[in-house]
Amino acid sequence: MTSALATRIHLLITVVLVTCAALSGVCFGLLLGGRTTALVAAGAAGLGAGIGSFLARRQIAALFPPGPGAVRADGYAEGIADAVLVSIATYQAAVFPLTPDGVSETERQARRTVAYRAAAYDGLPLAVRVSAAEALEVVDQGLNPEHAQAAMRALALTVYDHRAER
């Protein structure tokens, strides 16, 4: 996501560039052949400058850092959200093991620590962080595996909903 400053600066530069190109086209057209040539040269120069600016907008916007509070669009937040989902799922598997005494208390605590640290990361979107906290609360209670499964399903849907459009 580009900052508003980068967008405004690029728009201002584009307006100035197209205006200067059109005025230059008018001047050269008047010098070379009259009014008709001036109009054609102005239109061609302005159109060329506008197309060039349009094609270079991503490179220009990449020079500016994202604004405060902007979510990175390079997949970083998506990767962190997926890691949170996996870490909470492994913690859920430790709380509700398939076999009795399948997970030691030390391993359960280690998985819980990893899940809480991942869920508290600042790079996560707020909705994913809230959904992760709700899932961790249900898993921490350890009373009902169906409720934990429903909370994990809600977390997975939240993570999926916050992916960038492809």
Side-chain angles (χ1 to χ4, degrees):
M1 178 173 183
T2 60
S3 68
L5 176 66
T7 304
R8 285 184 289 195
I9 288 174
H10 183 257
L11 180 62
L12 179 64
I13 290 171
T14 300
V15 168
V16 169
L17 182 65
V18 170
T19 303
C20 289
L23 289 175
S24 298
V26 166
C27 291
F28 286 128
L30 285 174
L31 288 174
L32 294 177
R35 291 182 182 176
T36 307
T37 307
L39 288 175
V40 170
L47 184 64
I51 290 173
S53 180
F54 177 75
L55 293 176
R57 73 188 187 286
R58 287 191 181 186
Q59 289 83 7
I60 298 296
L63 295 174
F64 295 93
V71 176
R72 293 172 58 166
D74 60 354
Y76 183 76
E78 293 176 8
I80 296 297
D82 287 338
V84 167
L85 180 63
V86 169
S87 65
I88 295 175
T90 57
Y91 174 50
Q92 177 193 9
V95 172
F96 302 108
L98 294 177
T99 60
D101 299 325
V103 178
S104 68
E105 186 60 34
T106 306
E107 183 179 356
R108 184 177 297 146
Q109 282 303 109
R111 288 184 183 187
R112 182 179 188 273
T113 302
V114 169
Y116 269 90
R117 286 183 182 170
Y121 189 70
D122 288 335
L124 282 174
L126 181 62
V128 174
R129 214 180 306 174
V130 168
S131 184
E134 291 170 356
L136 283 170
E137 181 180 4
V138 172
V139 172
D140 272 344
Q141 292 172 356
L143 302 175
N144 191 347
E146 287 81 23
H147 284 120
Q149 189 64 30
M152 288 302 296
R153 190 175 306 115
L155 174 61
L157 288 174
T158 304
V159 168
Y160 180 76
D161 287 342
H162 281 81
R163 293 191 183 204
E165 293 183 35
R166 306 260 182 246

